[in-house]
Amino acid sequence: MLNGIDISAYQPDIDIAGLSTTDFVIIKATEGTSYRNACFLKHIAAAITAGKKVGVYHYATGSGHQAEADFFLSAVRPYIGKILIALDWESQGNNAWGNLTYAKNWLDYVKAQTGVTPVIYMSESVASSGNWAAVAASYKLWGAQYANYNRIGYTSSPWSFGGWGAWGSKPLIHQYTSRGAIAGYSGDLDLDLFYGTKEDWDKLCASSSPMTAGWQQDDKGWWYRNADGTYPKSEWMALNGTWYYFGPDGYMLAGDHEYNGHIWHFSKSGAYQGKEKIASEETNMNMDELKDLIRKTVQEMQAETAAKPGSDWSQADRDWAIENGIFQGDEHGDMHWQAPITREQVAAVLHRVSK
């Protein structure tokens, strides 16, 4: 038997590596078709690095079994073949509650897409009250039943009422408290007991149809699976002599994308075709706009001069010119601010600026 926990975004800072008595961790990945656990990637990386057995689960909301499954798979696909997969079937927020066929359709679809046989989570009362025979025939149970709400640690013999409906006398995994107290974490945790060995866990994670490396397509777009099951994201990759860019969600970019002051061009098939710098507003300024800017500036200058006569009215302009190396001064550092400037010089400056 193995001792484990299940966690979600409610345990954002849990130190999984420090859970010395924990064998496995089951992590919430998604909910419905829009919620992704913000802690999922951090948690699963920590669990894998710590050498824990890993499971992931999706919370059903009744948003369409295939849409929910696809959303879930888009979040967990790099880990398929290495993780136990579970559907969390509860009443809160679940528009398909009471529709047992919906749950089975989700399980069937995920199995067909991954080759991994998922498990289903529910309370003992739900397992015992519904006709789950069709589901139990193919999918094992992760069941919840608590003796009370006292704080307890890991146990190899949690209390059970003794019946789990179509699943018989014992579930595959028993969640027996929500107030678990274990070494390495000060707060409450859901504690679980897996009735099997590490080898048994690995068998539940294995895919009956090993996934091949290469291009993959789903409802959202194209992505690329590496030989080790991982996939590129937020990075470039050269494939057969052609460069592609994969976004933070792992999907290939196609079409034009604006980033970092450039337009990046990709073909419909994702091949990189080059980039061009986005012209600034100043570069795009036409002659009429330049004349309006000069006229406005002169008017403002005249108004400032009239309101603030004397040599200090243009102090900010002079400071700017010196800071930007436009005026250097003579060998004595004298800028000769009071020296007159001719109309010819003004025309020459403005004409060259306009080019």
Side-chain angles (χ1 to χ4, degrees):
M1 292 183 287
L2 304 178
N3 293 314
I5 59 174
D6 57 273
I7 59 176
S8 64
Y10 288 109
Q11 296 84 22
D13 300 318
I14 187 169
D15 179 16
I16 295 176
L19 306 179
S20 58
T21 58
T22 298
D23 301 309
F24 66 89
V25 181
I26 304 177
I27 307 162
K28 181 174 183 177
T30 52
E31 179 175 328
T33 56
S34 60
Y35 173 80
R36 291 176 183 265
N37 174 12
C39 300
F40 173 69
L41 293 178
K42 177 176 71 172
H43 284 163
I44 195 168
I48 292 172
T49 300
K52 308 296 186 185
K53 297 301 179 183
V54 180
V56 299
Y57 72 89
H58 172 80
Y59 189 100
T61 63
S63 304
H65 79 271
Q66 184 171 332
E68 287 199 57
D70 283 336
F71 181 65
F72 167 72
L73 293 175
S74 71
V76 306
R77 66 183 180 216
Y79 312 102
I80 299 298
K82 305 174 184 177
I83 53 173
L84 179 144
I85 296 174
L87 174 65
D88 187 349
W89 188 254
E90 301 182 47
S91 61
Q92 184 174 351
N94 184 357
N95 293 325
W97 183 247
N99 185 350
L100 280 57
T101 301
Y102 185 99
K104 186 175 187 302
N105 287 342
W106 189 97
L107 296 165
D108 289 344
Y109 182 81
V110 169
K111 182 177 180 179
Q113 293 295 310
T114 64
V116 177
T117 301
V119 303
I120 186 168
Y121 170 93
M122 66 184 72
S123 68
E124 180 277 331
S125 61
V126 174
S128 298
S129 61
N131 183 12
W132 290 97
V135 174
S138 301
Y139 305 102
K140 296 183 182 299
L141 177 66
W142 171 20
Q145 186 179 47
Y146 307 164
N148 51 51
Y149 288 92
N150 298 330
R151 292 203 81 192
I152 59 171
Y154 285 133
T155 176
S156 59
S157 56
W159 175 85
S160 174
F161 184 73
W164 296 87
W167 284 278
S169 61
K170 186 181 297 184
L172 174 71
I173 304 173
H174 184 177
Q175 182 192 82
Y176 53 89
T177 184
S178 61
R179 299 204 61 210
I182 62 172
Y185 190 74
S186 59
D188 292 339
L189 287 169
D190 292 343
L191 300 188
D192 303 274
L193 180 66
F194 174 71
Y195 290 102
T197 65
K198 291 183 178 180
E199 290 73 22
D200 293 329
W201 184 285
D202 290 340
K203 290 177 183 178
L204 292 166
C205 300
S207 173
S208 61
S209 55
M211 297 172 291
T212 58
W215 286 104
Q216 312 293 325
Q217 185 183 31
D218 56 31
D219 292 342
K220 190 173 180 180
W222 286 93
W223 54 285
Y224 191 87
R225 181 186 291 122
N226 297 316
D228 61 358
T230 62
Y231 63 100
K233 55 183 178 179
S234 298
E235 64 180 284
W236 290 92
M237 177 176 280
L239 298 167
N240 297 322
T242 300
W243 282 98
Y244 300 88
Y245 188 79
F246 298 88
D249 58 0
Y251 286 95
M252 175 197 78
L253 268 60
D256 293 341
H257 296 265
E258 181 178 332
Y259 175 72
N260 198 25
H262 290 79
I263 298 293
W264 300 74
H265 302 290
F266 300 87
S267 70
K268 291 182 178 180
S269 61
Y272 174 59
Q273 297 180 318
K275 66 178 180 177
E276 59 182 314
K277 187 174 183 180
I278 300 174
S280 65
E281 293 183 2
E282 290 77 11
T283 304
N284 288 331
M285 185 178 292
N286 58 39
M287 280 302 299
D288 289 337
E289 292 171 330
L290 177 60
K291 290 176 183 177
D292 288 340
L293 178 61
I294 293 172
R295 187 180 301 111
K296 181 180 179 182
T297 302
V298 170
Q299 290 173 348
E300 291 176 350
M301 180 182 69
Q302 290 173 335
E304 290 178 14
T305 304
K308 192 176 182 181
S311 62
D312 63 338
W313 70 271
S314 62
Q315 186 64 52
D317 303 305
R318 285 181 282 169
D319 292 342
W320 173 85
I322 293 172
E323 290 173 2
N324 287 275
I326 297 173
F327 295 132
Q328 299 296 332
D330 60 18
E331 67 273 16
H332 304 296
D334 189 349
M335 295 292 178
H336 298 285
W337 293 116
Q338 306 306 321
I341 182 171
T342 68
R343 291 173 181 268
E344 181 183 22
Q345 291 170 324
V346 172
V349 170
L350 295 179
H351 185 219
R352 294 176 187 182
V353 169
S354 70
K355 292 182 177 180

